[in-house]
Amino acid sequence: RTDWHPVRIRFRLPPHVPAHAVLCAPTLRVREERLLLDVPYALAVPKPERAGHRIAVAFDWGLNTLLTGGTLHLTDETQPRVLTDAHPLSFRAAGVLAKADRLRIHDERITARIDQLRTLITSRQERGVRPDPLLVAKLAVLQTERERVAKRRTRLNAALAKAAARFMTDHARAAGASVIYLEDLRDMEARGKGRTLNTRLSQTVRGAIVTHVRHTAAAHGIAVVIVPPRGTSKYCPRCLNKFRHHKAPDDRAAGWAWATCPNEACGYSTGRDNAAWQRIGARGLTHQHTTRLDRTAGTFVIRAVVEALDRASQVQHQTRDRTKSRPTTRRPAPGKRRRVPAPPGRA
Ligand SMILES: [Zn+2]
């Protein structure tokens, strides 16, 4: 300590640090002959609550659309009702998912090639022959390529998780919601949704999305609650009759994507995912007092569905439902546009 002496460092706080932030002890780093100062700061935020929510946003995991969701309200009556405008919000990541898929296929090909080369090299070594230097060089190139692809996939997944979390938190803030309800990922295998979903997006990535949304939401005092998904897309959110699933609004053949309520008094017809988030949200809002904190995962969960509560959680639509009811009319195909400038005098 005799060698210690105090140093005063003046620094300016960047504008994104709020004035009421509490600064913590800084860390000094030297990088490329420059002194860097890491200053962590703490912000007081409201604690996410387990129950007592009146406005919620709920999201359902989908196949083509990664997340479909919307806002729901709980009324103040003695028998609270769940209301929604049924306006769906969707997070599409088709481009990112396609890129992830291409990288996965590329990775599989490289791995197969590496295995082949290894077999060739070791079989020569076993016979006491020196392996072909060309093969050894090829193997080295492929191994660096595999590492590069693995890094690229990790970065892409992290970016996707952050974007999805941001999307959910921003919508919750815009709607003034204090809670985000999400489906339980573990039960999806049981629902037959698992395998198809997993080829598109691994369980790990979906887990990362949940972790990210918990953190981004916590910064605004918004709770994230995991809801059991049992039967969420099976029943009509308005009258709780069993849905009939078919291919499209105009195709009555049994299928996956579309759901129509057979109850004539109701007749609700909507996309499968759009029906599911309404059920998830209603289930979450009516099961608030059964919400528990899972200590190992650190998340709020609703473990079991109470039949009596679930039966009562009909969703009432406040305004005219503007969900899609027929297929999109054909638009002119891209690529038929003129590729060369119009001839002079005709432009
Ligand atoms: Zn119905």
Side-chain angles (χ1 to χ4, degrees), residues 236-241 243 260-263 265-268:
C236 170
R238 292 186 180 182
C239 68
L240 302 175
N241 270 303
F243 263 142
T260 300
C261 181
N263 177 7
C266 168
Y268 188 42

Side-chain angles (χ1 to χ4, degrees), residues 85-88 238 268-270 274 317 319-323:
D85 56 4
H87 179 70
R238 292 186 180 182
Y268 188 42
S269 183
T270 187
N274 192 40
H317 289 214
T319 51
R320 190 164 66 91
D321 186 8
R322 293 175 62 87
T323 48

Side-chain angles (χ1 to χ4, degrees), residues 14-247:
H16 67 267
V17 181
H20 58 277
V22 179
L23 299 184
C24 308
T27 312
L28 290 173
R29 290 187 289 143
V30 177
R31 199 176 68 187
E32 289 165 7
E33 296 181 359
R34 282 179 63 200
L35 185 65
L36 297 182
L37 192 66
D38 295 328
V39 189
Y41 63 92
L43 281 177
V45 289
K47 195 169 157 277
E49 289 299 333
R50 196 164 61 83
H53 304 293
R54 300 238 74 93
I55 306 174
V57 288
F59 290 96
D60 175 50
W61 302 96
L63 292 177
N64 295 316
T65 308
L66 184 58
L67 292 161
T68 312
T71 316
L72 303 109
H73 302 252
L74 199 65
T75 59
D76 294 323
E77 298 149 333
T78 36
Q79 281 289 315
R81 288 173 302 140
V82 180
L83 301 180
T84 182
D85 56 4
H87 179 70
L89 311 160
S90 48
F91 181 77
R92 286 174 204 275
V96 178
L97 293 184
K99 177 75 191 177
D101 219 38
R102 287 199 296 276
L103 285 172
R104 180 180 57 81
I105 293 165
H106 187 45
D107 187 44
E108 279 166 11
R109 283 195 187 133
I110 295 172
T111 310
R113 195 82 188 97
I114 285 175
D115 290 345
Q116 277 176 342
L117 286 175
R118 281 223 180 101
T119 317
L120 281 174
I121 290 168
T122 46
S123 74
R124 277 189 155 230
Q125 280 170 336
E126 276 163 12
R127 280 181 286 135
V129 189
R130 203 169 59 87
D132 188 349
L134 191 70
L135 290 187
V136 178
K138 258 188 191 171
L139 183 65
V141 169
L142 284 174
Q143 273 165 339
T144 22
E145 175 69 3
R146 183 161 69 171
E147 275 165 33
R148 207 184 61 82
V149 171
K151 258 187 207 159
R152 178 82 185 89
R153 290 178 78 184
T154 314
R155 276 202 303 268
L156 193 69
N157 287 340
L160 178 66
K162 271 185 194 163
R166 194 75 262 163
F167 167 81
M168 289 190 267
T169 310
D170 285 351
H171 276 300
R173 288 176 67 198
S178 52
V179 63
I180 297 172
Y181 289 115
L182 279 175
E183 266 183 310
D184 192 343
L185 300 168
R186 290 167 309 171
D187 287 8
M188 264 193 259
E189 293 291 337
R191 277 175 70 199
K193 213 171 168 182
R195 198 191 291 172
T196 342
L197 257 181
N198 273 341
T199 50
R200 303 273 171 98
L201 195 65
S202 73
Q203 190 85 352
T204 330
V205 179
R206 275 177 279 141
I209 294 176
V210 176
T211 312
H212 270 294
V213 73
R214 237 177 55 224
H215 285 117
T216 49
H220 302 282
I222 298 166
V224 175
V225 179
I226 306 296
V227 179
R230 188 165 60 90
T232 43
S233 45
K234 204 171 173 185
Y235 302 99
C236 170
R238 292 186 180 182
C239 68
L240 302 175
N241 270 303
K242 214 176 200 171
F243 263 142
R244 219 185 69 77
H245 289 106
H246 49 102
K247 283 187 173 161

